[in-house]
Amino acid sequence: MFNNMKQLDTELLVGYIDNLGVDVVRQMLALYIEQSQVYLDDIAETTVNENQSGWQEACHKMKGAAGSVGLSVVHQRLVQIEKSTDDWPHKREYLASLKHENQLAITAFEKWLDSQ
């Protein structure tokens, strides 16, 4: 679905490296990896409890975090699903897709950083 989209906002990330250095950007990624797991767990919990407001809140938090570290595809995916009122089986599918996209984006970020 997102194959033709750029995984990373490299313009943003180059700006971070220019201003903060590669080591700080690596730390940002490490923090994002930790936090994204918390957000994914929170989103998963909302699918168990079928909590619409919790779904929106957890997606919104992760959307901000993904955007701030330049994970374009993950951010866009969260924009699409954050306010979804689809049924919970569909939301569980969205969550599975989001986990996959998040891992792809983290891998792309790591590879990109290694090339800097």
Side-chain angles (χ1 to χ4, degrees):
M1 179 179 225
F2 299 102
N3 293 344
N4 55 0
M5 282 184 65
K6 208 166 59 157
Q7 278 283 358
L8 305 174
D9 181 347
T10 51
E11 203 172 297
L12 174 73
L13 297 176
V14 166
Y16 284 161
I17 287 176
D18 289 349
N19 289 304
L20 304 170
V22 173
D23 289 340
V24 171
V25 176
R26 283 189 195 284
Q27 291 171 7
M28 288 171 55
L29 176 59
L31 179 60
Y32 173 80
I33 291 169
E34 282 179 37
Q35 278 304 119
S36 69
Q37 190 54 58
V38 171
Y39 297 140
L40 289 167
D41 289 347
D42 289 348
I43 294 168
E45 186 177 326
T46 71
T47 67
V48 171
N49 300 330
E50 299 190 354
N51 177 346
Q52 179 65 29
S53 63
W55 168 271
Q56 288 183 0
E57 183 180 327
C59 286
H60 183 77
K61 287 179 184 176
M62 187 170 179
K63 179 181 74 174
S68 71
V69 295
L71 301 186
S72 305
V73 171
V74 174
H75 179 266
Q76 192 55 44
R77 182 72 176 140
L78 285 154
V79 166
Q80 292 172 346
I81 67 173
E82 175 184 359
K83 295 194 163 101
S84 170
T85 55
D86 291 344
D87 61 25
W88 292 101
H90 279 103
K91 286 184 179 165
R92 285 186 270 282
E93 290 174 19
Y94 299 157
L95 174 59
S97 172
L98 178 62
K99 286 179 180 180
H100 178 70
E101 291 295 339
N102 193 56
Q103 192 53 57
L104 289 175
I106 288 168
T107 300
F109 195 155
E110 290 169 337
K111 286 181 181 174
W112 181 84
L113 261 180
D114 288 345
S115 73
Q116 297 306 301

